[in-house]
Amino acid sequence: MSHDSRSKDPGLPPGEGLRRGLTSYGDTDFSLFLRTAFIKGAGYTGDALTRPVIGIAATGSGFNPCHGNMPQLLEAVRRGVMLSGGLPVEFPTISIHESFAHPTSMFLRNLMSMDTEEMIRAQPMDAVVLVGGCDKTVPAQLMGAASAGVPAVQLVAGPMMTGRYRGERLGACTDCRRFWAKYRAGQISGEQIEGVEGCLATTAGTCAVMGTASTMACLAEALGMTVSGSAAIPAVHADRLRAAEASGAAAMALARSRLTPDRIMTGRAFENALRVLLAIGGSTNAIIHLTAVAGRLGVGISLEMLNRLSEETPVLVDLKPSGQHYMEDFFAAGGMGAVLRELRPLLHLDCLTVTGETLGARIDAADGYVDRAVIRSAAEPFQTAGGLVALFGSLAPGGAIVKRSAADPRLFEGEGRAVVFESLEDLAGRVDDPALDVTPSDFLVLKNAGPKGGPGMPEAGYLPIPQKLGRAGVTDMVRISDARMSGTAFGTIVLHVTPEAAVGGPLAVVRSGDRIRLSVKERRLDLLVDDREVARRRASLPAPPAVARGYRRLYLDHVLQADGGCDFDFLRAPLATG
Ligand code: FES
């Protein structure tokens, strides 16, 4: 019997397409026969089945309003694949939305990455288009694709448009926090906060500011994993669909060139991405995600490297939460093309991208328009040093992060008295207690909100200003925790304290009344308690409770600290040497 549905595409090696990764029956011809019989049942012709297969990882979900444009994006990707002679095949994976994931989206990111990796590997595809957007989805997809080793293009949903409330321009979610703080301080009424609630997210798409989703979109482009100029296109703009079509075409070219993610996401590409992260005043979460993606490829990212790059890389972009504009303004002002052009002398221009061009060639080919009100020049930046810095010291031997671009510099140097909350529940129960012993110069400390303690490292690092202080006009205080912070948040907030309290890090022994010293200039965070007392307190720490079953158990047994990207230990590749 002649039975050959192998690819007829002259650019593909024989034996690919639907023959890839046959199901194990002990008879490969039978495996292919059975696969072909089933897919013919879906109405495909023999011609279609000889084409290169482009998988499309789809993450539409009724629980993920940020991905509301997924049907149109998928249609445009399919069009791009077919116009290039390929066969597009969609498949679903886990989808995660920030506000619909319990206990946190971060808790589920690694599960999504495993789902993405295994479904890419298990199903026959010559290349894949990853369609994500909301915060954890893009890192999960990049982690999965890096481990699967199949050529991949990242496409993002794109940012939502801004709305208006009584004439004031609003966008999720920096303004969510700003208005919530006003409501807590009694400056706006219940009726007004309800009105605001209806105007914060007025279209499909990801948060309208340089939060984690927008940051990861920009970093995916900086890494070379998207088509050029696509990171900032608004979700509802026709250019977003054109980028989707181009992503489908790029995936077809990748199926022929076999350019795999490990050849694009190299150590030098991650250095480029870190530069861009600093220049855009991006989300603190991105450090964790970049570390996790890099770790899948044996590339190490250290906080010391972040500090070095931070000194040399100015903040160029005037966007919320560090500045005043929104993502649609960033797109209109020239977007990533303008940022990359400005950073050109600092970038590794020979890094490859998914379209086979080098980063340098992309920069040269991009439209040269820039609106300097939004994207500044390197000579006259928005801020002279990078947006993020790492702190080390006796309270954070493994490091901590502060987003100085979105903080109050007047609070960067000095000592404070600790006001400690043992957990999220303790925080919720006491922070607004009128009897809470707290002053504006104290340091609020939250424990047990790290990768294991949360669990899932909740975005709780933006501790609310105690209500009595908020009502007295206090808008910022030093806040320290092992938690993360939303990329849309702002304030003098020290995050990711490592090791976390739940694994016995120094944070676990801090007590209310202790003195803590912060120096952003010296990159220090120190607990001013003597070593003997720390040892005595440590000896009396309770043992962590035994856990449970299922994914939560897998998570707690294997999740790494922030300096390991909060990935699972068994998913990382050995660190490459040299
Ligand atoms: Fe989806 Fe902000 S909640 S991007």
Side-chain angles (χ1 to χ4, degrees), residues 29-231:
D29 285 342
F30 176 70
S31 297
L32 181 60
F33 164 70
L34 210 56
R35 177 174 285 178
T36 310
F38 276 109
I39 201 159
K40 279 194 168 169
Y44 290 101
T45 62
D47 175 44
L49 298 178
T50 61
R51 304 299 180 112
V53 178
I54 306 300
I56 307 174
T59 53
S61 161
F63 289 111
N64 195 342
C66 291
H67 292 193
N69 59 346
M70 195 61 55
Q72 299 94 312
L73 288 180
L74 297 179
E75 186 189 335
V77 174
R78 283 195 299 268
R79 186 165 67 238
V81 172
M82 288 194 284
L83 285 171
S84 305
L87 175 65
V89 182
E90 280 166 40
F91 63 99
T93 72
I94 292 172
S95 185
I96 310 170
H97 183 276
E98 281 307 293
S99 304
F100 286 89
H102 177 80
T104 71
S105 60
M106 190 66 174
F107 178 71
L108 297 165
R109 183 202 62 181
N110 295 349
L111 184 63
M112 181 175 173
S113 83
M114 291 168 76
D115 178 6
T116 305
E117 173 185 346
E118 296 304 334
M119 287 300 100
I120 292 173
R121 187 180 286 126
Q123 300 171 133
M125 59 192 82
D126 297 297
V128 61
V129 181
L130 311 159
V131 194
C134 196
D135 292 18
K136 306 303 175 290
T137 59
V138 169
Q141 291 184 320
L142 291 175
M143 290 160 76
S147 296
V150 169
V153 180
Q154 180 76 59
L155 172 68
V156 299
M160 62 179 73
M161 304 297 284
T162 52
R164 293 276 191 287
Y165 176 71
R166 298 186 179 176
E168 186 173 354
R169 195 176 181 207
L170 304 183
C173 223
T174 303
D175 296 324
C176 314
R177 293 167 207 288
R178 188 164 61 85
F179 275 92
W180 191 250
K182 281 188 181 188
Y183 174 60
R184 278 176 49 79
Q187 293 163 5
I188 62 171
S189 68
E191 190 193 336
Q192 284 172 307
I193 195 72
E194 212 173 296
V196 167
E197 185 184 84
C199 301
L200 286 163
T202 51
T203 71
T206 50
C207 284
V209 299
M210 191 55 83
T212 304
S214 297
T215 302
M216 288 311 300
C218 292
L219 300 192
E221 183 166 339
L223 282 168
M225 289 299 291
T226 69
V227 297
S228 184
S230 63

